[in-house]
Amino acid sequence: MIVAFSDLDDTLFQTRRKLPLGMDGLTPATLGRDGQPHSFCTPAQSALLAHFASSGVTLIPVTGRDQAAMARVTLPFTSWRILDHGLTLLRPDGGVDLDWRTYVLTQLEPLQDALADCTAAVTGLAAEHGCRLTRHTAHGTHFMTVFKHPDADATQLEQMQLALEKHVERTYDSGLHVIANANNVSVLPRGLGKSEAVRHLRETQFPHATLTLALGDSLSDLGFMNACDLAITPPGGQLLRTVTAAKLPQR
Ligand SMILES: [Mg+2]
């Protein structure tokens, strides 16, 4: 049995804005809140999905999307799904896995004060940098605060990220960490996320998988990519851009 754990946005599909102008052969993969096609698979991404489907590879999405945003993904997923950055597991029948929910709530409980305190501590700074603040919940419990810049201003977001990292590293004894994407900076639990969910599913549902693949584009995907046998990442994604920019000495 082969299992592929895959991030969604910017790995299996992306918005038109991120694709070459006038690219042909796009397949809609998600709907926007207005019900119109929003993200698309390129012919290469469609070929990969078709190959997985025809060769019996079990494909498991590993995404930051919540259940509402996942419902707007029109790709046919039939097995387990990892949502909310790993904090929610959906069973193949679509129901929320209650054992994982209980575990997650136990882990989140001692972090509530730190999350609230950290969010309050940088609220003023977020306003100064023009970032909008959103509290995200899983199972009705605060697990992440996201600072989003409406124009994805890299300088403002970097200032925000540095300040947040400084505060978090100084104050919370590794309970929280900061991740950054193209248009946002987020603070969330360090020891509970995509990689823990992937490890949990590997152990409990797929202990006999002969090969596990991991697909992701972002630094925040690295944890779960390291928990699989082989990792696949798209060119131009945050991961490869970072590695390319690092100019590591060749040994
Ligand atoms: Mg992604």
Side-chain angles (χ1 to χ4, degrees):
M1 177 185 222
I2 300 176
V3 183
F5 293 95
S6 182
D7 173 55
L8 294 180
D9 293 77
D10 299 327
T11 297
L12 291 187
F13 50 72
Q14 54 283 305
T15 58
R16 213 184 268 278
R17 193 169 54 80
K18 295 184 179 165
L19 291 168
L21 214 62
M23 188 175 195
D24 282 332
L26 300 180
T27 309
T30 75
L31 302 174
R33 287 195 177 84
D34 58 359
Q36 296 301 307
H38 185 70
S39 294
F40 300 83
C41 296
T42 63
Q45 288 165 327
S46 296
L48 180 68
L49 290 171
H51 178 68
F52 282 163
S54 67
S55 51
V57 172
T58 301
L59 178 59
I60 298 181
V62 185
T63 177
R65 286 173 176 258
D66 60 16
Q67 287 193 69
M70 188 66 191
R72 295 194 296 271
V73 178
T74 52
L75 300 176
F77 295 112
T78 54
S79 184
W80 289 78
R81 278 149 279 176
I82 299 176
L83 312 184
D84 290 322
H85 294 276
L87 276 74
T88 298
L89 291 184
L90 292 189
R91 298 189 311 255
D93 67 11
V96 171
D97 186 74
L98 296 180
D99 290 342
W100 187 248
R101 179 184 187 274
T102 303
Y103 172 74
V104 163
L105 288 174
T106 313
Q107 297 292 307
L108 284 181
E109 211 262 332
L111 294 173
Q112 290 302 298
D113 286 349
L115 265 170
D117 172 56
C118 167
T119 304
V122 296
T123 295
L125 194 70
E128 277 170 39
H129 289 295
C131 293
R132 269 199 308 268
L133 178 163
T134 334
R135 285 176 185 78
H136 289 241
T137 60
H139 315 294
T141 303
H142 184 196
F143 78 97
M144 173 171 78
T145 302
V146 178
F147 303 90
K148 202 170 194 167
H149 195 280
D151 307 319
D153 184 316
T155 317
Q156 304 285 355
L157 283 167
E158 197 185 336
Q159 295 296 318
M160 195 67 218
Q161 181 182 352
L162 291 175
L164 205 50
E165 275 170 354
K166 217 170 174 182
H167 182 77
V168 164
E169 278 159 23
R170 203 175 44 215
T171 323
Y172 305 116
D173 198 21
S174 302
L176 301 174
H177 72 152
V178 178
I179 64 171
N181 264 311
N183 68 350
N184 67 68
V185 177
S186 307
V187 57
L188 66 172
R190 183 185 283 274
L192 184 65
K194 285 180 167 185
S195 59
E196 287 74 20
V198 166
R199 281 177 215 275
H200 174 77
L201 274 192
R202 277 194 68 168
E203 283 165 20
T204 59
Q205 304 300 322
F206 305 103
H208 304 302
T210 44
L211 169 64
T212 52
L213 303 173
L215 293 82
D217 70 292
S218 297
L219 293 171
S220 59
D221 297 320
L222 266 181
F224 89 83
M225 293 170 86
N226 269 314
C228 295
D229 295 315
L230 197 65
I232 300 170
T233 190
Q238 187 191 33
L239 254 179
L240 277 195
R241 275 190 285 116
T242 306
V243 176
T244 308
K247 296 200 180 76
L248 299 172
Q250 308 262 324
R251 289 208 180 86

